[in-house]
Every structure is written in C-alpha cells, then in structure tokens.
Amino acid sequence: MTTIDRRTFLAAAAGVAAGAALGKGAVAAEAGKPRWKRAFMLGGLTKGPALPTFQLLKEAGFEGVELISPNEFDLDELLAARDKTGLVIHGVSGGLHWQKPLSDPDPQVVEAGMAAIRQEFLDCKAYGGTTVLVVPAVVNKKVSYRQAYERSQANIRKLIPLAEQSGVKIAVEEVWNKFLLSPVEFARYIDEFQSPAVGAYFDVGNVVEFGYPEEWIHELGHRILKIHIKEYAKPKRFDYPLGEGEIDWSAVRQALVDVGYEGWITAEVGLGDLDAMKDVVKRMSRLLQIG
C-alpha cells in the first residue's frame, strides 16, 4: 500500500490558495444561486479497488465522495480512480472517533485517537479534500458532559496548528453521543476555538429526534463547513428514503439559502446498485432543488 507521508502532505498544501481563488470566481459567476454539489458518503468502503464504486456513483449523477480514514486504500489506485471518473474526494470522516474518543480518561486512548486524526489530515490533503470530520467526544457513565466538553476542546486545540498549516479544516459533527445537544451550545463550542480552522459539519437527520434542522442551520450559520443529509422518522429512525420521513426539506433548503451556505451536500445513506443511487440523486435534486 502506498503511504502518505508528511512531505507529500506539505507539498500538496501549496495548492490550497489557488483552489480557493478559483472557488470564489465560480461563486461570483452565478451570484445569487446556491452552489451546492451532490456527494456520497462511502462509509463502508475502506480498501480498493475504488474504481468500480466511483464509476457507479459518477454514472448515478454524484459529483463527489467522502471517505473514511484511516483506511487501507492504495493511494495511487485511489487517485487514479478519482482522476478517471472526475469524482472529487471532498473530505474524510474519522473512523475511530467512537472507539478512541478525545474525551476518554485514558491518555493512551486519547493519543491513539489523536494519531488517527493526524493521519486523517494527511489522507485528506493527499486526496485533495478540505475537511476532516471529527466527532469530538462521547458522554457516558465514565465521562461527564463537562469532562467531554473540556477534554475535547483541549485536544482539538492541539490539532489546530496542523489544520491551519494544511488548509484542511476540522469539521465537528453532532451525532447521537449525548453531546452538543442544542444549536446554541454547538455554535458556542465552535466559537470558543477562535480559529477559522474549526467549524461545524451539520447532519440534518441527526437532530430531528430532539430539534428542527432548519433552526440549527440558522443558529450555526457561517460556521457550517459541510452538510450531511439522511431521512428520519419514527419508528424506523434513519431507515426511510429521502423525502419520506419527518424532515421539512423545503424549510431546510430555505435555511441553507438564508445563511448563504455554499458547498457540498453529502448523502449518508446505504450504498446500492445504479438504480438505487440514481434514485438518491433524484431525491436530493428534487428536495433541495439542486440544479
């Protein structure tokens, strides 16, 4: 397997400024229109060959993917699949944040989690991505809410210099971890880092059990770096096709427009055959009016 070293990571960072400038130009070209791109979360794909899956997603109509990291991909093979299909690997999601949380009382567990996130930065930069999704903490019987808050912030602050150096941002996501349970607190948590290298990865489906996604979007506003979407309703929770649950997608879309969100909207749903993936793209396009 081809490895990603620090030299490769730092060399790739030089292209960040140029890419950002091009992105601003593209937005200006269609002023007033949301610049949203459809992506797919490949949570179950951690080793190659990547090309068949990339080709399927490209044919279905997706423009990008998000990968799990650390993983077992051969870098050359993965980049060849990316370049052949034209799919953008826009970011990575940590694969060990539940097993090795930054809030754990055991320093060895925390260090393993930190090491994994550092590798995620290397992977993301090598793929040409812009964010590393981080689940910051897990509240449980051995970790209080306050401990989760303080420990996770302290450890994320240690990662900010690497994020700032690389141009890859830390995207904190709200999940079912008994932590960051309101949009007001989530916004405050992000603001306390006082760094543009840390933002929010907002998952629309994850908050429906105890809140309204559109309210969270309005509260988080400019802090939102990326968006995950999936459906939610009782009794099957996330096991509904997009548009067939409780989410008010028109309100979600309007909230994203209101806060000026521009970027990737990534479907975090099950991987299926070509027809199933075309259906996901169709639903995303219809519900959010993505052209």
Side-chain angles (χ1 to χ4, degrees):
M1 182 175 71
T2 304
T3 59
I4 302 169
D5 58 22
R6 191 170 182 82
R7 180 177 298 176
T8 302
F9 173 64
L10 294 175
V16 171
L22 288 173
K24 290 179 181 177
V27 171
E30 295 188 32
K33 293 184 179 180
R35 298 281 297 177
W36 299 338
K37 296 181 180 180
R38 293 169 294 245
F40 190 86
M41 173 61 182
L42 275 172
L45 190 70
T46 58
K47 58 184 178 180
L51 183 58
T53 304
F54 276 33
Q55 287 175 323
L56 180 145
L57 293 173
K58 181 67 174 181
E59 186 175 352
F62 288 101
E63 299 156 278
V65 294
E66 186 174 34
L67 299 179
I68 292 292
S69 172
N71 56 55
E72 300 178 46
F73 284 113
D74 177 272
L75 178 59
D76 292 337
E77 188 273 331
L78 183 65
L79 296 184
R82 178 199 66 182
D83 295 343
K84 184 172 182 177
T85 60
L87 281 181
V88 176
I89 305 174
H90 74 74
V92 302
S93 174
L96 296 179
H97 40 218
W98 285 98
Q99 300 96 322
K100 310 291 183 182
L102 303 183
S103 54
D104 199 274
D106 186 340
Q108 292 184 331
V109 172
V110 172
E111 180 49 42
M114 294 284 282
I117 294 174
R118 294 186 192 102
Q119 182 61 48
E120 291 154 26
F121 273 104
L122 298 176
D123 288 346
C124 186
K125 178 52 62 178
Y127 304 156
T130 58
T131 53
V132 168
L133 186 157
V134 173
V135 173
V138 178
V139 175
N140 52 39
K141 289 186 176 181
K142 67 177 183 178
V143 178
S144 72
Y145 203 106
R146 180 172 293 279
Q147 288 171 332
Y149 198 103
E150 294 175 350
R151 291 172 184 172
S152 62
Q153 279 197 334
N155 287 310
I156 288 174
R157 285 191 177 97
K158 296 175 184 177
L159 297 167
I160 288 176
L162 181 58
E164 292 176 336
Q165 181 182 30
S166 68
V168 173
K169 296 188 177 185
I170 300 166
V172 176
E173 188 181 44
E174 90 293 347
V175 296
W176 284 18
N177 54 348
K178 298 181 171 64
F179 188 58
L180 300 180
L181 298 176
S182 84
V184 175
E185 182 186 33
F186 194 0
R188 184 184 71 187
Y189 182 87
I190 297 296
D191 289 346
E192 287 173 348
F193 289 107
Q194 297 183 326
S195 171
V198 184
Y201 203 131
F202 180 64
D203 188 304
V204 172
N206 281 350
V207 303
V208 181
E209 175 70 16
F210 48 85
Y212 299 94
E214 58 270 25
E215 180 182 350
W216 284 65
I217 292 168
H218 280 125
E219 191 69 40
L220 292 171
H222 68 276
R223 302 170 186 85
I224 299 174
L225 301 176
K226 300 278 178 72
I227 294 287
H228 268 165
I229 63 169
K230 53 179 174 273
E231 191 54 81
Y232 182 89
K234 291 181 179 179
K236 296 189 293 183
R237 293 183 170 175
F238 302 117
D239 193 20
Y240 292 88
L242 292 171
E244 297 184 22
E246 298 178 9
I247 297 173
D248 183 345
W249 289 103
S250 63
V252 168
R253 184 190 187 280
Q254 187 58 54
L256 291 172
V257 171
D258 290 345
V259 302
Y261 177 74
E262 303 279 357
W264 291 98
I265 296 181
T266 301
E268 190 177 9
V269 299
L271 179 65
D273 61 17
L274 181 58
D275 287 340
M277 294 297 92
K278 284 183 175 180
D279 184 62
V280 173
V281 170
K282 182 178 179 180
R283 289 170 183 270
M284 292 177 72
S285 301
R286 175 175 55 85
L287 293 170
L288 295 173
Q289 299 176 38
I290 303 175

